[in-house]
Amino acid sequence: MSPTKLKTLAFLVAIPLGFALAVWLGREAATYAKPDKFIRFHQGIAPESLFYPPFSTLENLALARWSPGRTLVIIGGNSILNGVGQSDKNLWSRRLQEELGERYVVVNLSFRGALPCEAGALVAESLIKRGLHVVLISNTAPSTVGRVAGGAYGYLYYNGLAHDRLMYHPAREADLAAWEETATPSIREQQAELRRAAALDARFHFQALWHHIGYRYGFTTWTQVTRDHFWRPRDKIADDGTDARPLAERFRDQLEAELAITRAFSAGLAESTEPTSWRTYAPHARLTGELIDAMFPPAVRARTIMLLNQNAPYYRSRLTLRERTRDDFVFATYEQLWRDRGIDCHTVGANFTDEDFADRTHLAPSGGRKLALLVADYVRQLTPP
Amino acid sequence: MNSSRLRQSGALALRVFLGLAVGGFAHYLLYRLFLPVQPFIYVAF
């Protein structure tokens, strides 16, 4: 063989070898890659900055702290449980770990804007499936269940599904199929692409490898959030969470808009029978119940504590008497609805003070401490010694 | 003679290295292709 042919052959053979080497490295990364000294998913390691931690990373975070005999407390849910309004030093989940003690391992896998059935809930499902003793803490507004697919964190569902991490739950697949049928063509195409990505990733492990490299050695994509130093490895980007502003500076912005959101928590969910008497608006309650059944497999429901977060008293006290009674009615009714579906559910924040809130919905450090005490009690009740 | 063989070996190693790099880059492209085009912007409700 001529030297030129030999060099060409060497080049061509090395291409699949290079790809195979990257696949092997990705497969390895999926078994260990995770953020160091992890407290929560801040903006620098979350989808806001195009960092989409793979399902394996979330699992690694939970398993790294767990040891046999201990109960894993996985925190899912949204920005309230993510601790917006609290610096990482004052984060409520740190207080929860202190309160629960050595018998429990608390891991905060919540994301800003996540639905109660997304992200942390799916990791809890995977670990329950593997036989670990797990409690899931998640949160939402009374009637918000949503779906595991279709949102910003929907990639985790397809990722978990393709890696065979999730339970067999035909009701969920049927609901998603029915939802996709009525969705717009662009949403259908988006879901198909997420499925393709997850199926390819299950074979080639590119998400684990390149997120690990992005976290450890350097990120290759410009994002608005990291625009001044987008190339920096994500482990060099600090948690940007801060404690709530002084009380005198809170609740000043957009009073009317925030009041409208406060009203919307119960408007449309109850019909009045008399001026201050209410009954549930049945179609919405039925849909909420069906979604709970579809999105949470029964084995997960039995291990879940769902928190319904009340709004700050600053706003609730500005509702009319009629609106307040409707608000109380809806929270109590939907709390019972979640319980009827097999999920331990509690309304939290109703007796917190303005001092405890950083804004209408997020908690200040003092509110975080109160939440940790409440949740610790709920966890102990669900997991008697 | 030896230096010519050394040069040829070096060129061969370079081709192997380039091939490995192209393979790794193809793997990286898969990751980049599936990054969402639209960024997720968090808004609290």
Side-chain angles (χ1 to χ4, degrees):
Chain A
M1 190 182 289
S2 72
T4 309
K5 275 189 178 173
L6 187 66
K7 280 187 267 185
T8 307
L9 184 68
F11 175 69
L12 291 175
V13 168
I15 292 174
L17 279 179
F19 190 85
L21 181 67
V23 171
W24 179 75
L25 289 171
R27 186 193 290 260
E28 289 298 302
T31 64
Y32 64 79
K34 62 178 175 55
D36 299 327
K37 297 173 190 161
F38 176 80
I39 302 299
R40 64 174 156 190
F41 283 105
H42 58 79
Q43 277 196 326
I45 50 172
E48 289 116 300
S49 60
L50 282 181
F51 192 90
Y52 285 76
F55 198 88
S56 61
T57 297
L58 273 65
E59 277 192 331
N60 291 341
L61 282 167
L63 291 171
R65 299 187 195 172
W66 176 79
S67 55
R70 302 173 83 190
T71 299
L72 258 172
V73 179
I74 304 277
I75 298 172
N78 62 26
S79 55
I80 300 173
L81 300 192
N82 187 256
V84 170
Q86 301 146 39
S87 61
D88 67 341
K89 189 174 59 143
N90 287 321
L91 191 62
W92 81 279
S93 48
R94 283 185 189 267
R95 302 289 90 78
L96 179 62
Q97 179 67 75
E98 289 165 9
E99 189 61 30
L100 286 171
E102 284 294 302
R103 203 187 127 204
Y104 298 88
V105 183
V106 177
V107 187
N108 193 332
L109 301 180
S110 57
F111 285 92
R112 301 175 191 214
L115 291 162
C117 54
E118 289 184 306
L122 295 175
V123 176
E125 178 180 331
S126 164
L127 298 176
I128 291 169
K129 184 184 174 190
R130 289 163 72 167
L132 273 69
H133 203 236
V134 175
V135 173
L136 167 68
I137 314 291
S138 195
N139 76 317
T140 187
S143 72
T144 304
V145 184
R147 291 183 170 86
V148 288
Y153 306 99
Y155 77 97
L156 283 169
Y157 169 67
Y158 294 118
N159 204 207
L161 202 63
H163 285 83
D164 195 26
R165 290 292 198 256
L166 303 180
M167 292 176 180
Y168 176 64
H169 187 44
R172 180 165 55 196
E173 288 169 30
D175 178 90
L176 292 176
W179 164 71
E180 261 196 74
E181 263 182 34
T182 59
T184 62
S186 71
I187 288 177
R188 281 207 295 273
E189 176 51 33
Q190 186 189 42
Q191 300 309 302
E193 183 172 314
L194 285 169
R195 271 193 293 273
R196 279 196 296 273
L200 279 174
D201 186 58
R203 284 170 179 265
F204 301 131
H205 307 280
F206 48 89
Q207 296 292 359
L209 176 64
W210 295 102
H211 275 92
H212 178 59
I213 289 173
Y215 179 78
R216 191 73 65 200
Y217 304 106
F219 208 73
T220 56
T221 313
W222 185 93
T223 79
Q224 181 66 27
V225 174
T226 56
R227 58 190 174 279
D228 295 332
H229 42 70
F230 75 88
W231 60 88
R232 286 178 70 185
R234 292 306 175 88
D235 73 340
K236 298 283 187 287
I237 297 180
D239 189 328
D240 55 350
T242 54
D243 286 330
R245 292 179 290 178
L247 184 58
E249 295 174 22
R250 297 179 210 166
F251 315 123
R252 285 179 167 185
D253 305 330
Q254 300 178 317
L255 176 63
E256 281 311 312
E258 297 289 4
L259 267 175
I261 296 170
T262 306
R263 287 190 192 99
F265 266 62
S266 58
L269 300 181
E271 304 169 299
S272 62
T273 49
E274 289 169 42
T276 55
S277 288
W278 299 93
R279 69 165 173 244
T280 314
Y281 180 58
H284 213 299
R286 193 170 53 248
L287 178 65
T288 302
E290 286 169 3
L291 278 173
I292 294 170
D293 288 345
M295 294 302 129
F296 292 89
V300 177
R301 276 180 245 160
R303 310 296 304 170
T304 299
I305 296 168
M306 189 60 63
L307 308 174
L308 305 183
N309 290 93
Q310 258 293 7
N311 291 296
Y314 183 88
Y315 299 99
R316 278 189 293 124
S317 64
R318 282 165 171 75
L319 299 177
T320 63
L321 175 64
R322 188 176 150 77
E323 288 168 337
R324 272 207 301 277
T325 57
R326 184 186 65 198
D327 199 59
D328 292 341
F329 172 82
V330 163
F331 270 83
T333 306
Y334 273 82
E335 187 180 287
Q336 190 56 50
L337 189 151
W338 282 86
R339 286 181 180 171
D340 291 344
R341 301 286 168 158
I343 291 180
D344 187 26
C345 182
H346 303 269
T347 299
V348 290
N351 54 359
F352 288 13
T353 65
D354 283 335
E355 185 81 33
D356 298 327
F357 282 86
D359 53 31
R360 175 186 53 75
T361 190
H362 301 112
L363 297 174
S366 65
R369 281 192 292 278
K370 288 183 180 176
L371 181 68
L373 289 173
L374 286 171
V375 171
D377 265 348
Y378 303 150
V379 171
R380 283 190 284 259
Q381 283 165 26
L382 197 69
T383 56
Chain B
M1 190 69 167
N2 275 348
S3 79
S4 162
R5 184 163 287 178
L6 203 64
R7 239 189 346 263
Q8 279 188 3
S9 300
L12 195 66
L14 182 68
R15 296 298 197 286
V16 170
F17 176 78
L18 282 176
L20 290 173
V22 169
F25 185 68
H27 193 258
Y28 168 76
L29 276 185
L30 278 177
Y31 153 75
R32 280 300 297 265
L33 277 174
F34 288 111
L35 269 186
V37 178
Q38 292 176 325
F40 165 58
I41 299 167
Y42 166 67
V43 182
F45 287 106

